[in-house]
Amino acid sequence: MTQKTLSDLLNWRYATKKMDPAKAVPQEKVDAILEAVRMAPTSSGTQPFEVIVVKNPDVLADIRKAASDQSPITDGSHLLVFAAWDNYTNERIDDVTKLNVEARGEIPLIHDYYGNLKANYVPRDAEVNYAHAARQAYIALGFALIAAADQEVDSTPMEGFDPDTVDKILGLRERGLRSVVLLPLGYRDPTGDWLLQMPKVRKAHDTLITHVD
């Protein structure tokens, strides 16, 4: 953990284009990033996604082929694959209810709340539910990006991949999951990354933000 401010961290991080394959991220730093993912807020506390941590070189090579040959996938030491639930089911929501009861006790509010959730979510189209679950995974992705910066670990969020192929490589569909976004973790290669020396480009505050007082 650094002593930098949040603003410092956000200015330090960037979408690393070239990682140094000789430098591996220590496990304790990966664990800190994964804990931030675990603690991220999600709709109704459902956490409707999983994170698959890939280190196997052969699997990484296969995923790279399905991701437009983006080198950080194999040059980084870890790849986080955020995979969302393919649907909301009674069983999945019941599991969330059970977690709440174990932590907070048997109170009617919990059963009423998640019973209402089942009544609203389960009948919906599976694609609607998957899209909702995927948005929750993106919230966790944001936490992972900031946590990685806090650990001074480089990362690159990636959507440019064939999800069907990645799902097949990792056997996700059989587990009721669909890949949403990839996040390689590693360390920047200062001599090989064309983006590193370029200034960060963001819209001005007044262009991006509207205040309603």
Side-chain angles (χ1 to χ4, degrees):
M1 183 174 180
T2 73
Q3 298 302 312
K4 296 177 181 178
T5 66
L6 178 59
S7 181
D8 290 336
L9 295 173
L10 296 178
N11 277 284
W12 175 83
R13 71 148 305 277
Y14 73 110
T16 308
K17 302 303 181 187
K18 178 62 177 173
M19 292 185 178
D20 185 347
K23 295 182 179 179
V25 180
Q27 188 59 46
E28 61 267 22
K29 290 181 177 288
V30 176
D31 290 343
I33 294 165
L34 293 173
E35 181 64 7
V37 169
R38 191 180 75 88
M39 295 300 294
T42 57
S43 178
S44 299
T46 50
Q47 295 179 290
F49 61 87
E50 294 183 22
V51 179
I52 294 83
V53 183
V54 184
K55 293 175 61 180
N56 183 288
D58 294 333
V59 176
L60 290 172
D62 287 342
I63 293 176
R64 176 172 171 171
K65 292 175 185 176
S68 303
D69 197 37
Q70 297 181 80
S71 66
I73 292 173
T74 52
D75 289 344
S77 60
H78 299 72
L79 176 68
L80 307 188
V81 181
F82 289 76
W85 290 355
D86 60 0
N87 202 355
Y88 286 101
T89 65
N90 287 317
E91 293 75 17
R92 281 173 159 167
I93 296 175
D94 284 343
D95 286 342
V96 176
T97 306
K98 182 180 178 182
L99 282 176
N100 276 267
V101 170
E102 289 173 351
R104 296 171 175 172
E106 283 279 2
I107 55 177
L109 175 64
I110 291 175
H111 293 283
D112 291 346
Y113 183 88
Y114 287 106
N116 184 62
L117 204 69
K118 287 195 291 186
N120 283 280
Y121 282 18
V122 174
R124 296 190 311 195
D125 184 80
E127 282 299 315
V128 172
N129 282 337
Y130 164 70
H132 182 269
R135 289 194 294 272
Q136 311 315 304
Y138 271 98
I139 295 172
L141 171 69
F143 274 59
L145 290 167
I146 295 173
D150 182 56
Q151 296 295 319
E152 296 187 330
V153 170
D154 287 299
S155 61
T156 303
M158 293 181 176
E159 283 189 324
F161 67 97
D162 179 357
D164 290 335
T165 300
V166 171
D167 292 352
K168 184 176 181 179
I169 292 169
L170 297 175
L172 297 180
R173 294 299 179 101
E174 296 86 343
R175 298 173 56 196
L177 300 169
R178 293 169 60 179
S179 55
V180 175
V181 64
L182 310 178
L183 186 66
L185 302 175
Y187 291 104
R188 64 190 67 177
D189 178 358
T191 64
D193 195 333
W194 57 268
L195 187 58
L196 178 58
Q197 301 305 322
M198 293 189 177
K200 191 180 290 289
V201 179
R202 295 291 188 271
K203 293 179 180 179
H205 180 103
D206 292 344
T207 303
L208 186 66
I209 298 166
T210 299
H211 294 273
V212 181
D213 297 322

